[in-house]
Amino acid sequence: MPGAPAAGEMLQQLINAIVFGSVLTLFALGLSLAWGTLDVLNLAHGAVFIFAGYLTYELTRQGALSFVPALIVSMVGAGAATVALEVLAFRFIRTRFANKRQAELSMLVASIGGAIIIDQVVSNETGATTFGPPSSIFKVREYHLTGSAGITNIQILIVVVAVLAAVGLDQWVRRSRQGRAVRAVAYDPVTSGLLGVNVSFVAISTMFVAGALAGLAGVLLAVNLRAEEVAVGQDYLLTAFAILIVGGVGSVRGAVLAAYLIAIAETAVVAYGPTQWRDGIAFLLILLVLLVRPQGLFAKAQFQRA
Amino acid sequence: MSSDRAGGQPGPGGQPWRGGQPGLGEQPGPGGQGASREGAPALKIDRLSVRYGHITAVASVSLELPAGAIVAVLGANGAGKSSTLGAVAGSVKAHVSGDVRLFGERVGGRPSHRIVARGMVLVPEGRRVIAPLSVEENLLLGAYRQRSHKQVRAKLGEVHELFPVLRERRGSPAGLLSGGEQQMLAFGRALMADPRVILMDEPSMGLAPAMVDRVIDAVRAINALGKSVLLVEQNAVAALRVASYAYVLDRGRIASSGSAQTMRSDPVVAEVFLGLHESASRASAEQGPGRSEAARS
Amino acid sequence: MFSSRRLRWPGGALALLVMAVTIAACGSSKPSTTKTTSTVSSTSSSVAASATSSTESAGTIPVTFVGDETGLVAFVGKEVLKGMEVAVKRANASGELHGKKIVLSVMDTASNVSTATVKMSDAVKSNAVAVFGPLLSNEALATAPIAERGKVVDIETEAEVGGLLQIGKYIYRLTPSEFLYYPLTVDHLAKLGVKHVNLVYASDNPTLTEESTKLLPEWTKKLGISIGTSVGIPSTTTEFSSIVTKLETGKPEAIGVNMIGPAIASIASALRTSGYKGTIFCDQSATAGSLKPGGSAANGIIYGVLYSPEMSFPSSKEFTKLYEESFPGEKPQGYDATGYDAMTAFADAIAKSGSDTREGVLKGMQELTVAGSFDGGSGPLKFTGPEHREVSGPGALVEWKEGAEHMLVQGTPGLESQPLKAQ
């Protein structure tokens, strides 16, 4: 093991951590939205994420579409896949189970089923092997900073999009009429209906946004990684759980903070420590947070009078 | 509280009070909507039944709310009052049959958010404020169907005027309000939708006696804004203070009905709801058979 | 190979997932998946129809491929089957089977252990005189004892799990270990004048870890190459920028990427994007499928393989020619070669023993191993391993260029895993 990395390398690793944190943010936003508002712990989120990467691969490999149209179509496809789960499964579970815990568990199981189906579709279509969009759809270019450090255009795009998506989602949920309805439905769907909110429409649009965010992350990552396979979605899902728990369920700001925290911790392990333990870091953080602050760093406060 | 501005209590069938306040007067009166008929009652429930599986909660209930009136539905716990309101508002998950007309327009069987769009809002039992949202956000949520920002702001101003406490505590999470304040919020939130008819489910429940008076004042004030009110209450004394007419529900059926005046002097009502209120609710909690027979004898 | 990536799910969800996958797999497999391969030739399919009706027709030698035709590794199973079909065609035409013809039937394991065990039991109960497959290590471990108990020779391919051959004398493995041709790569690096390499490997893959932490250091040391940074990362890693930064420290002349799946292409792309100009080498897991998404960034990656269509051994050329005739427009791959080798060994065994009963097949296989070697699609294959029931092959070193493998060096038979011939 060589000594401590030089300054240029440290800067490079910092950039790496920020880019990685941005990827995690993009991935976790949709998961956090669905869980925080509709109590859907959507284990199909990773599959939808890969599905979007697959769609872009299919749409671009014959040169049919260029990057931006493929991105949009893939996001819509990912949103539609998530809406399909909502319409075919989650909705019925929500109305059938009076017990919230039971409904949550049933939706979790249903989402596993959804993940298996989506993964199977992608596996079948790709021959269960590695796939990725052609490099021609996005010319990756590196910009040199000081020393040996550099950042590529796709990495810059990921960071910018992650920040915009996080701020946009946070504002949408906090400030907009629709976001207010989403939070109300999350808290009390029956009363929301009595106030004139079309609950099933809100649920569907929320799941669409969650799915489209997974799609956005999936396409950008497919371009950045160049090669993916079905299992990549599950790998992200696992890290995203850590993010949700560390950040506090349902908190967009917490999720963003936790995403960067975990990214920096994992990158530090790679740069300085025993690399094979990088996955362990996320879980060490979960453990620490659960011990010190079980509700997560940014948990929803309890707004209920005793 | 602005109950002093209430211009008297209109009796059944009386003209809705039309104040000079802008915006609030815009709500369509009888015949204002295309499907409405001139002179039709604000709400007409005809042979409404509600079944949860094999259990019948409401059996062929018919009642009428004249435009601009306050009509009370009294009954012990478990008499089917909430099921009736829930069925009318489209929020119960049960088998519902019968006919519900809002100013002559059939609304039965529609989902709750569509019924709100037709001009009828339910203020649910137990307030059901959206606790994590601020007071103001709760109010804005009440105006969910109103997309015009300007109109929403105007409505908000009116509600603040009616319930100043909601202005004072606008930024506070709704869950942190006291029970009485939460009831005001639930009323204000309902008014934000600019309804013609407001269904109120046990607004006085769980409140201290002084607070019950304020709630009753608020009901009167809301009615004074021209809203027809169907008031479901266990607290008959309070309800009969504002209602012009009352129905008594017992085990899913209308047991008796009459003007508030007569009901106050009705021996059955007096015994079950006024005199023996305490023991009646205890008996109803036990769901013992022949409870009301015992009360009548 | 095929110590495939573990999908890791949190606690309870894992159990649910396993259950759900099992149910899904059971549901999807049709009640009777014994189907005759139709691609070989019309004659063999019609003969096979009578074979499945269990009336043993004279003149046929029924065998069954319990293979992964659907599911996770269907893309491998389909190629292995094609190779087998080519070998059946060759053997049947050669006349070495004493006038009889091999009829190959397929039972689909759906890449699923429980399905595989059911299919293997069916195959053992059938009139098949030998069975082939399955391909996944966990399937192979579960099904080999069934073949062993049923006293049927089971010729495995691809499943490189340890302990498989120890199950018993009926179990053979006709895919050479991937360790055997890695030295070709090291040899080539030495010839290029490489002195320093950095390395990344999948730390949760036993094969790749052993290769990267034990064998590779030995081999490189012999040739005066030093390994600087050796980075073990879980194969579930999906973020490579930090790894790449670390791999570039010390400016090594070559970087080894002993990973599986898409990680190879991702790391290679990231290395090239950040301006790395040196040689990138990897394990034979770098198959066509996993490098293609790398596009031009994958150009120049070198790795050892079992088989290359450019091999000059007579038996390799014969296989390549026969394959291209059977499947016009397609290039044979390593998986095709292993299928071909397995079936060719079987045919040679029958030819040797002169008996096509189950015991005759075993006797023939034993005679074949005593002879020491046979000529397969991947060149002259030597029997090694426990009781010589495993093979090693010469292998080849290939370079990936513009979407295809190009052979740089052909291995020398008999020098397998002997580092090395340089200098």
Side-chain angles (χ1 to χ4, degrees):
Chain A
M1 182 75 44
E9 267 173 64
M10 271 183 69
L11 177 64
Q12 182 66 65
Q13 291 292 26
L14 187 67
I15 292 168
N16 294 337
I18 290 169
V19 172
F20 184 39
S22 303
V23 171
L24 291 179
T25 297
L26 276 176
F27 186 91
L29 281 179
L31 198 65
S32 171
L33 177 68
W35 197 7
T37 59
L38 298 172
D39 293 319
V40 180
L41 186 44
N42 186 9
L43 294 190
H45 198 73
V48 168
F49 164 87
I50 285 300
F51 180 62
Y54 161 71
L55 279 181
T56 297
Y57 159 71
E58 275 295 341
L59 292 169
T60 55
R61 71 184 170 135
Q62 311 291 0
L65 289 182
S66 59
F67 177 66
V68 174
L71 172 70
I72 292 167
V73 174
S74 303
M75 281 176 71
V76 171
T82 311
V83 166
L85 285 175
E86 165 66 25
V87 171
L88 297 175
F90 302 150
R91 180 161 69 173
F92 295 104
I93 294 167
R94 214 175 284 126
T95 54
R96 217 139 289 179
F97 289 89
N99 182 327
K100 210 166 181 179
R101 286 257 154 259
Q102 244 178 344
E104 270 177 39
L105 185 66
S106 302
M107 287 194 277
L108 184 136
V109 174
S111 74
I112 294 177
I116 290 169
I117 292 168
I118 296 169
D119 278 353
Q120 197 58 52
V121 167
V122 177
S123 285
N124 283 349
E125 296 304 312
T126 58
T129 181
T130 306
F131 61 91
S135 52
S136 55
I137 66 159
F138 194 102
K139 291 262 177 267
V140 178
R141 208 166 269 120
E142 191 178 48
Y143 304 106
H144 282 279
L145 309 170
T146 56
S148 60
I151 186 165
T152 64
N153 47 359
I154 181 74
Q155 289 175 326
I156 294 171
L157 184 68
I158 286 173
V159 175
V160 170
V161 168
V163 170
L164 289 180
V167 171
L169 185 69
D170 187 57
Q171 291 301 305
W172 181 67
V173 170
R174 274 166 193 270
R175 305 237 182 278
S176 77
R177 166 177 167 273
Q178 204 54 248
R180 211 154 40 226
V182 167
R183 282 180 293 146
V185 168
Y187 182 76
D188 184 347
V190 174
T191 305
S192 303
L194 289 172
L195 296 175
V197 177
N198 183 343
V199 175
S200 59
F201 175 76
V202 166
I204 285 172
S205 44
T206 304
M207 292 307 278
F208 182 84
V209 171
L213 282 168
L216 179 63
V219 174
L220 291 180
L221 197 79
V223 171
N224 189 37
L225 280 183
R226 292 292 278 282
E228 291 185 300
E229 65 179 1
V230 167
V232 170
Q234 315 309 341
D235 300 339
Y236 271 95
L237 193 63
L238 207 61
T239 313
F241 276 127
I243 289 167
L244 295 199
I245 291 169
V246 170
V249 172
S251 163
V252 170
R253 294 174 185 193
V256 172
L257 189 91
Y260 286 100
L261 195 68
I262 285 178
I264 289 170
E266 286 203 10
T267 306
V269 172
V270 171
Y272 299 101
T275 45
Q276 56 267 50
W277 288 102
R278 66 179 293 168
D279 282 6
I281 289 306
F283 294 93
L284 197 68
L285 277 175
I286 292 186
L287 202 67
L288 280 176
V289 168
L290 286 180
L291 283 174
V292 179
R293 227 183 119 78
Q295 71 274 39
L297 298 179
F298 278 78
K300 285 188 236 180
Q302 289 298 306
F303 295 120
Q304 201 67 66
R305 287 167 75 95
Chain B
M1 198 54 50
S2 45
S3 59
D4 52 314
R5 286 195 284 114
Q9 182 190 321
Q15 282 304 302
W17 184 86
R18 287 186 180 269
Q21 298 169 55
L24 284 175
E26 289 169 7
Q27 56 93 20
Q33 292 276 325
S36 306
R37 277 187 285 115
E38 193 68 43
L43 180 66
K44 188 169 175 5
I45 301 171
D46 195 19
R47 277 166 295 169
L48 181 81
S49 295
V50 182
R51 280 192 291 117
Y52 299 93
H54 296 294
I55 300 155
T56 301
V58 178
S60 199
V61 162
S62 300
L63 55 83
E64 211 175 294
L65 169 65
I70 301 177
V71 168
V73 177
L74 310 174
N77 194 7
K81 307 185 302 291
S82 287
S83 292
T84 304
L85 282 199
V88 170
S91 68
V92 291
K93 287 174 198 161
H95 184 264
V96 177
S97 62
D99 189 36
V100 178
R101 282 170 191 269
L102 189 65
F103 290 102
E105 182 195 1
R106 187 171 292 181
V107 295
R110 295 191 190 184
S112 52
H113 66 272
R114 291 201 188 280
I115 289 177
V116 174
R118 302 312 312 146
M120 178 161 66
V121 174
L122 170 68
V123 180
E125 180 181 342
R127 272 74 74 182
R128 305 286 284 265
V129 298
I130 309 296
L133 270 62
S134 72
V135 168
E136 180 151 321
E137 283 181 319
N138 267 270
L139 291 176
L140 293 175
L141 200 60
Y144 177 76
R145 304 204 72 82
Q146 177 58 266
R147 280 166 190 274
S148 154
H149 196 69
K150 222 174 106 189
Q151 297 219 13
V152 171
R153 286 286 140 193
K155 269 270 153 307
L156 195 61
E158 290 161 20
V159 169
H160 279 161
E161 210 173 308
L162 195 56
F163 304 115
V165 65
L166 300 183
R167 192 203 313 264
E168 288 157 27
R169 308 211 48 183
R170 64 204 302 170
S172 164
L176 297 182
L177 298 183
S178 72
E181 288 166 338
Q182 287 192 3
Q183 188 61 54
M184 299 308 153
L185 176 56
F187 283 153
R189 195 173 60 177
L191 286 173
M192 289 296 291
D194 199 11
R196 293 180 285 170
V197 173
I198 301 185
L199 311 171
M200 298 179 179
D201 197 353
E202 309 262 11
S204 77
M205 193 174 74
L207 299 180
M211 211 59 221
V212 172
D213 290 345
R214 294 184 61 185
V215 165
I216 292 302
D217 287 345
V219 172
R220 197 175 279 133
I222 288 166
N223 179 242
L225 294 173
K227 316 292 180 192
S228 312
V229 176
L230 188 65
L231 175 64
V232 159
E233 261 301 342
Q234 229 175 145
N235 186 343
V237 178
L240 289 175
R241 261 169 44 206
V242 283
S244 54
Y245 198 84
Y247 294 86
V248 176
L249 262 185
D250 182 37
R251 281 176 295 168
R253 290 172 194 282
I254 303 278
S256 66
S257 64
S259 71
Q261 204 72 42
T262 32
M263 293 310 270
R264 265 195 289 268
S265 51
D266 184 294
V268 175
V269 175
E271 243 181 299
V272 177
F273 300 108
L274 307 178
L276 299 169
H277 182 68
E278 285 288 303
S279 60
S281 24
R282 210 180 315 125
S284 73
E286 290 157 11
Q287 292 288 325
R291 162 180 50 82
S292 94
E293 279 80 354
R296 276 196 188 97
S297 60
Chain C
M1 142 136 248
F2 298 137
S3 28
S4 79
R5 305 174 43 149
R6 288 253 152 75
L7 306 188
R8 293 205 221 142
W9 290 79
L14 175 67
L16 292 168
L17 176 67
V18 170
M19 257 165 52
V21 169
T22 314
I23 293 162
C26 292
S28 68
S29 62
K30 293 180 187 86
S32 164
T33 27
T34 308
K35 70 163 197 234
T36 309
T37 61
S38 52
T39 32
V40 181
S41 70
S42 55
T43 50
S44 71
S45 349
S46 58
V47 177
S50 60
T52 47
S53 65
S54 89
T55 51
E56 192 145 346
S57 26
T60 66
I61 306 170
V63 295
T64 300
F65 176 41
V66 182
D68 307 68
E69 294 305 300
T70 59
L72 191 63
V73 292
F75 67 105
V76 181
K78 287 185 174 130
E79 294 305 325
V80 171
L81 178 60
K82 282 186 190 165
M84 287 182 174
E85 287 167 356
V86 173
V88 168
K89 208 168 169 181
R90 185 202 64 83
N92 287 348
S94 72
E96 68 186 28
L97 301 171
H98 314 289
K100 291 191 171 183
K101 292 211 184 304
I102 298 172
V103 175
L104 171 64
S105 61
V106 182
M107 292 186 182
D108 182 14
T109 69
S111 308
N112 173 291
V113 178
S114 48
T115 312
T117 54
V118 171
K119 299 296 175 189
M120 181 57 85
S121 302
D122 289 350
V124 168
K125 274 181 235 149
S126 77
N127 58 3
V129 298
V131 293
F132 295 84
L135 308 178
L136 283 169
S137 291
N138 54 358
E139 291 178 318
L141 280 178
T143 56
I146 301 171
E148 181 69 24
R149 278 198 302 274
K151 297 193 191 326
V152 189
V153 166
D154 180 6
I155 303 177
E156 303 275 2
T157 52
E158 312 299 340
E160 290 204 12
V161 65
L164 186 59
L165 297 178
Q166 281 72 28
I167 285 169
K169 63 176 180 177
Y170 286 89
I171 314 302
Y172 285 79
R173 174 158 53 202
L174 269 291
T175 301
S177 157
E178 58 194 281
F179 296 148
L180 296 176
Y181 21 91
Y182 212 122
L184 291 172
T185 307
V186 183
D187 198 24
H188 189 72
L189 291 176
K191 279 183 189 147
L192 291 174
V194 170
K195 293 281 171 219
H196 307 282
V197 299
N198 283 350
L199 192 62
V200 59
Y201 62 94
S203 60
D204 53 359
N205 181 307
T207 310
L208 291 174
T209 302
E210 188 188 352
E211 183 177 273
S212 307
T213 59
K214 289 208 183 79
L215 302 175
L216 203 52
E218 272 175 37
W219 297 328
T220 50
K221 203 174 161 194
K222 281 188 187 165
L223 298 183
I225 300 172
S226 68
I227 298 178
T229 307
S230 181
V231 188
I233 56 171
S235 57
T236 52
T237 302
T238 47
E239 188 278 328
F240 302 109
S241 305
S242 56
I243 309 292
V244 163
T245 304
K246 203 165 177 177
L247 285 177
E248 286 174 333
T249 56
K251 307 206 183 314
E253 293 118 353
I255 290 176
V257 184
N258 289 344
M259 299 292 295
I260 46 177
I264 304 166
S266 294
I267 293 174
S269 300
L271 279 169
R272 294 302 184 213
T273 307
S274 76
Y276 182 71
K277 298 275 193 297
T279 305
I280 301 174
F281 61 97
C282 53
D283 179 82
Q284 64 123 23
S285 310
T287 53
S290 57
L291 289 183
K292 214 166 245 159
S296 59
N299 281 348
I301 294 181
I302 58 169
Y303 52 100
V305 293
L306 162 73
Y307 161 80
S308 159
E310 295 166 52
M311 279 180 156
S312 63
F313 303 112
S315 59
S316 304
K317 286 172 123 173
E318 185 189 12
F319 162 64
T320 307
K321 186 167 149 276
L322 286 173
Y323 186 92
E324 285 169 353
E325 281 168 13
S326 295
F327 304 100
E330 288 184 44
K331 275 252 171 266
Q333 308 171 14
Y335 301 131
D336 299 304
T338 55
Y340 180 86
D341 291 350
M343 189 58 77
T344 300
F346 168 77
D348 285 3
I350 299 270
K352 273 220 159 23
S353 75
S355 159
D356 58 12
T357 62
R358 286 181 174 181
E359 280 310 308
V361 172
L362 179 66
K363 199 163 142 273
M365 287 301 288
Q366 285 166 344
E367 282 174 30
L368 196 62
T369 58
V370 170
S373 69
F374 76 101
D375 291 328
S378 7
L381 296 171
K382 202 171 81 178
F383 281 95
T384 60
E387 301 166 47
H388 300 279
R389 282 184 278 115
E390 199 168 21
V391 295
S392 71
L397 179 75
V398 296
E399 180 182 26
W400 180 264
K401 211 165 211 171
E402 302 307 335
E405 288 172 356
H406 298 279
M407 192 169 77
L408 293 177
V409 179
Q410 178 172 288
T412 314
L415 282 179
E416 299 90 352
S417 129
Q418 304 288 313
L420 284 147
K421 309 137 270 180
Q423 283 123 12

